[in-house]
Amino acid sequence: QVAEAVAQPLLGTRRVTLVAGGSGDIGVSRLPGEILDVVTRLPAAVEALTGVSVTQVCPGPLRDRG
């Protein structure tokens, strides 16, 4: 559900420009990793901003990763 919410704005995207530095994937092959990075960091960011632990209020896999 979190990945879906993060990716939702991309559905209407007609063009994506990726700027990369350093090593690793470049171009469109980098996009899945960037989305995964956002999803991975999201629970901690939400908790830091709101004081609410996403892993405590969401059932399922997020809670198991606590």
Side-chain angles (χ1 to χ4, degrees):
Q1 290 172 343
V2 175
E4 181 181 355
V6 170
Q8 188 70 32
L10 295 174
L11 290 176
T13 302
R14 298 168 98 189
R15 181 178 177 181
V16 174
T17 302
L18 301 172
V19 178
S23 61
D25 292 335
I26 59 171
V28 74
S29 62
R30 187 178 184 111
L31 189 58
E34 294 289 334
I35 292 172
L36 182 59
D37 186 44
V38 170
V39 170
T40 301
R41 294 177 186 211
L42 194 57
V46 169
E47 187 170 0
L49 292 170
T50 67
V52 176
S53 172
V54 174
T55 58
Q56 295 299 314
V57 297
C58 288
L62 289 176
R63 180 172 291 187
D64 295 340
R65 294 179 189 189

